[in-house]
Amino acid sequence: MNRKEFLKMTAGLAGGVAGLPLMRKLANAATAEPGLPGAVGAVEASAAASRAGSAPFENLLAQASAAGDEEYFWKLIRGQFLLDPGWIYLNFGGLGACPLPVLNSLVEWNQAEERAPSAGYDDKRWWEVKEKLARALGKTCRKEDIGLIGGATEGVNVIVNGLPLKKGDEVITTTHEHVAVHSALLNRMQRDGIVIRLFEPDIVSGLGNVDRIARLLTPRTRLIFISHVTCTTGQRFPATEIAALARSRNIWFALDGAQAPVCVPFDIVETGADFYTCSTHKWMMGPKRTGFIYVRQGMLDTLRPQTVGGGSSERYDAAKGEFVLQPTAKRYESGTQNDALFYALGAACDFVETIGVDRISRHNRPLAERFYHGLGEIPGVERLSPEEEAYRTPMIGFRMKAHTYTEINEHLAKDKIRVRPVAEGGLNSIRVSFHINNHDGDVTAILDSLKRLAG
Ligand SMILES: Cc1ncc(COP(=O)(O)O)c(C=O)c1O
């Protein structure tokens, strides 16, 4: 069933989803876009006219692109969020916001589900979502290698608990990992006696991180599990080089990618990771409580699912003692699913694809770079993101000599600027994320605010 057919079907059921109050509110928000300063180019008049005639959002974007009107293009994109206009939101690395097409999809599918509850989900549609996700993750990523789960915390636990680690086996990770990774490893340490080996990320040399890992290797090392992009300072690790090192020593390599897809352009297969997980509610702008796990081809039987149930097996027979897991990463999915969440994740993939990950990066990186260099001119600021531009991302970390991270956070909040305080690794710092909801004025606002704080 395509979208048109779906809408026709739901209209037939109960007067149409477009008549719902929330849908109307969302539709209004999409069109009641506040004006931004500056000329928006020739395309604006025709866009306004088209909007009145409810031209699809994609057409407006295409018109803005064809007219070469970048400013209007990004203004249209910003108009797709319900974010409170009184605040500057610089924390997609924490919690992303869903754009309207994703929210609409979520409402539509939830309504459809409540009108005609279905036992089990539509397998074909489920695969379509994975196909879209696979496309967003690179040229050769296969849908069969992706399992849809609740988020990175769940994925990290699937990986740490699913690998056949024994007492004394060593795992290398960083001091900058999210609580999800450290907790899962510590839990396995207490339960099974694995040993955690930590290294401090090298922010001077990106490749220096490969050396730091190499120095921790011993004959007992079984797993390297690090972030693809850290949640602390937005540091991107040289995944391919680390994967090569791991492969050469017959060690598993897992990436916590909660902060990577859409934040940075990359190809998941080319990272060389055996296992990869992500929360898709952040940079990918999907609904909360959605995520995925990717398992490199050929590695499925190494990573035994610890939670199984309806959907995880191809067939089972308790009387015969037969249990055959799914031959794909679907084996990590189990039980009743909230399928509306994942269908709306498909809408998020469409939204990202309509703009393009490279274009998103060309928008976000200059904002973050201007911020990074601006920080360098504020007395008493210590920048924590990598010194080499190639390892920086649209997330920048910093702290101030004269102020605690709580003071900085409170000061910015008074100026209605939302960032993320960072306690991980004892950094006591601030992280600032720039995404497609932001513009140059936001960079100016946060730099001005920090200058005032610095006195
Ligand atoms: C690097 C990293 N890993 C894991 C997580 C956990 O994500 P979730 O709480 O969505 O499971 C986060 C969340 O911020 C993160 O930044």
Side-chain angles (χ1 to χ4, degrees), residues 93-95 150-156 176-181 227-232 256-259 277-282 289-290 395 420 424 431:
L95 212 51
T153 300
E154 199 178 314
V156 162
H176 281 213
E177 296 312 312
H178 188 269
V179 57
V181 170
S227 296
H228 192 186
V229 170
T230 65
C231 64
T232 47
D256 173 358
Q259 299 289 351
T277 186
C278 174
S279 292
T280 44
H281 66 76
K282 296 173 184 283
R289 204 64 204 167
T290 59
M395 275 194 301
R420 201 274 214 177
E424 286 90 342
R431 182 191 74 196

